Amino acid sequence: MPAKVLTIIGARPQFIKAAPVTSAIALHTGIEELLVHTGQHFDSEMSDVFFHELGIPEPHYNLDIHGGGHGDMTGRMLIALEPILLAEKPDAVLIYGDTNSTLAGALVAAKLDIPIAHVEAGLRAYQAIPEEINRVLADRLSRWFFCPTETSVKNLAKEGITENVHLVGDVMYDAVLRMRERALERSEILKKLGLQSGEFQLATVHRAENTGSAENLSRILEYIKDMGRDLPVVLPLHPRTRKAARKFEQSLDSEGLVVTDPVSYLDMAVLLDGCTCVLTDSGGLQKEAYFHGKPCVTLRDTTEWVETIDAGWNRLWRGADYLPRKTIADYGDGDAAGKIVEILTRET
Ligand code: UD1
């Protein structure tokens, strides 16, 4: 009997991370997957387009749970997930990253004594933000720790977690390698925005720490607008940021600022390829900037992806200048997904 893994995903970065693992599972006869989409991200451009472009199969369950406070959203996910896990009796639950969907999946599985595999384990910003709460708790409850970097392995060791810790590399690097060519062939985003490669910068903002108050949002938007005075900045706008701009009456009209709806994975790959520089508070995009050979300014006061800073590809917006540039050995060889699937197949 193949091992049965139940995967819980819900937010945009999780679709990207799960894509290579899901396709590696599909190729392996020793393991099968049931996919649960919590519904945390639900707009077609935040969800469906990623399933479609990345070839992720239709989820077996879509819980359609989104919005509300963190406790409200997480609570509803717990209630909806428990009967599914009870009925499906998986051998393991697979969770990704640090969202509310990650935490809900971890809590339900742990209470039912189903072993948990955490992809992107061990990341720490040492900061009291929602993502840190979710990832620390997910790591406390997990059996297998799939770490993207040496630093994440060391972070776990500091917390006394040393067993079943596997340095497999970064599944987002797998995804970039698989999709880059297809993106360059198919995406029409530059034409749509009327931009030429090499003539724009790329920015994204969505974190609660930047969008949660008028003061913080205005500070970050001013910084981006200021950067746009040198070279246009493309800003694909996350729904949270659009809502915040409306609520705090912040204008997004500015010369040099090209605001668009959220873009698909392939369009983002082309924007990364064509930009001169990335400005972002996203974790994933900091690394994707590096994978595409672009310098990054992180719009936060700290980052989990410290190796991008150490290697001179990234800097904090209010921090020191870029260090001398080096290649980053971490992130693996583009087969993190294959390694994860091998380990899970052997050990479940
Ligand atoms: C979540 C994750 C964050 C991750 C980010 C990626 C948590 C705590 N945070 O933040 O770690 O980096 O996803 O995008 O899980 N919304 C829509 N349409 C959508 C999705 C969201 O309108 O398709 C709205 C929601 O209703 C909400 C706001 O955007 O009002 C924020 O969404 P939410 O899922 O709460 O968190 P994110 O900010 O996306």
Side-chain angles (χ1 to χ4, degrees):
M1 277 273 282
K4 181 169 167 183
V5 169
L6 187 141
T7 296
I8 298 169
I9 49 180
R12 184 170 60 177
Q14 293 169 325
F15 311 141
I16 299 168
K17 290 167 199 171
V21 180
T22 293
S23 87
I25 292 177
L27 292 174
H28 204 299
T29 51
I31 188 163
E32 62 184 30
E33 182 178 45
L34 267 176
L35 211 52
V36 179
H37 185 338
T38 61
Q40 180 171 347
H41 287 176
F42 53 95
D43 284 339
S44 64
E45 72 263 28
M46 295 291 285
S47 176
D48 301 355
V49 70
F50 289 83
F51 279 75
H52 176 68
E53 284 187 349
L54 296 164
I56 308 169
E58 189 74 17
H60 296 83
Y61 297 89
N62 190 328
L63 310 181
D64 197 21
I65 294 169
H66 46 80
H70 286 263
D72 179 333
M73 189 201 298
T74 313
R76 282 179 289 144
M77 287 177 188
L78 295 177
I79 294 168
L81 283 168
E82 188 169 61
I84 295 175
L85 267 62
L86 280 169
E88 297 289 353
K89 299 185 180 49
D91 298 304
V93 162
L94 185 54
I95 54 174
Y96 290 85
D98 56 17
T99 73
N100 291 340
S101 302
T102 315
L103 178 61
L107 268 177
V108 171
K111 298 262 180 173
L112 295 175
D113 205 17
I114 300 169
I116 299 161
H118 187 199
V119 177
E120 217 177 67
L123 290 191
R124 297 291 181 264
Y126 300 106
Q127 205 191 13
I129 52 174
E131 290 77 12
E132 186 89 351
I133 298 166
N134 293 338
R135 59 169 89 101
V136 168
L137 292 174
D139 281 338
R140 296 312 302 175
L141 300 173
S142 291
R143 157 116 33 116
W144 295 277
F145 305 86
F146 294 117
C147 293
T149 59
E150 294 263 6
T151 309
S152 53
V153 172
K154 286 186 193 142
N155 291 341
L156 288 176
K158 278 191 232 159
E159 295 171 23
I161 299 172
T162 51
E163 273 182 41
N164 298 316
V165 175
H166 302 279
L167 177 58
V168 290
D170 192 333
V171 285
M172 288 190 79
Y173 184 45
D174 296 19
V176 166
L177 294 182
R178 283 178 54 201
M179 304 302 287
R180 183 187 257 157
E181 241 166 75
R182 194 179 307 175
L184 291 170
E185 275 164 27
R186 295 200 192 161
S187 165
E188 308 241 303
I189 188 76
L190 294 186
K191 204 187 321 164
K192 192 173 140 203
L193 298 176
L195 290 166
Q196 300 284 335
S197 183
E199 293 182 0
F200 62 93
Q201 308 176 79
L202 175 63
T204 75
V205 187
H206 76 279
R207 293 256 177 186
E209 60 206 89
N210 284 328
T211 56
S213 73
E215 194 193 335
N216 291 2
L217 182 64
S218 127
R219 206 175 47 185
I220 217 82
L221 288 178
E222 279 314 311
Y223 181 82
I224 294 173
K225 288 176 189 169
D226 214 42
M227 296 290 276
R229 291 188 229 291
D230 298 336
L231 197 65
V233 176
V234 177
L235 178 65
L237 207 57
H238 190 288
R240 171 194 281 277
T241 316
R242 189 176 287 285
K243 283 185 194 170
R246 209 174 294 138
K247 179 169 160 202
F248 300 127
E249 298 175 355
Q250 303 273 331
S251 164
L252 294 164
D253 259 346
S254 172
E255 215 192 312
L257 196 59
V258 184
V259 177
T260 74
D261 286 335
V263 295
S264 74
Y265 187 78
L266 297 183
D267 286 347
M268 188 55 110
V270 166
L271 291 174
L272 281 160
D273 213 70
C275 72
T276 58
C277 171
V278 177
L279 317 169
T280 189
D281 64 3
S282 147
L285 218 59
Q286 291 171 51
K287 287 174 298 162
E288 287 174 329
Y290 168 73
F291 299 148
H292 288 264
K294 300 300 155 77
C296 181
V297 180
T298 292
L299 304 173
R300 297 175 58 198
D301 292 325
T302 177
T303 177
E304 306 77 53
W305 302 103
V306 288
E307 52 295 313
T308 57
I309 303 259
D310 295 342
W313 287 91
N314 192 5
R315 68 177 181 85
L316 303 178
W317 70 311
R318 295 190 290 194
D321 203 354
Y322 293 107
L323 294 169
R325 238 177 230 180
K326 293 186 292 202
T327 305
I328 306 178
D330 271 344
Y331 304 139
D333 55 8
D335 189 31
K339 294 181 182 122
I340 290 168
V341 172
E342 273 308 317
I343 294 165
L344 282 181
T345 308
R346 200 170 60 228
E347 298 187 9
T348 45

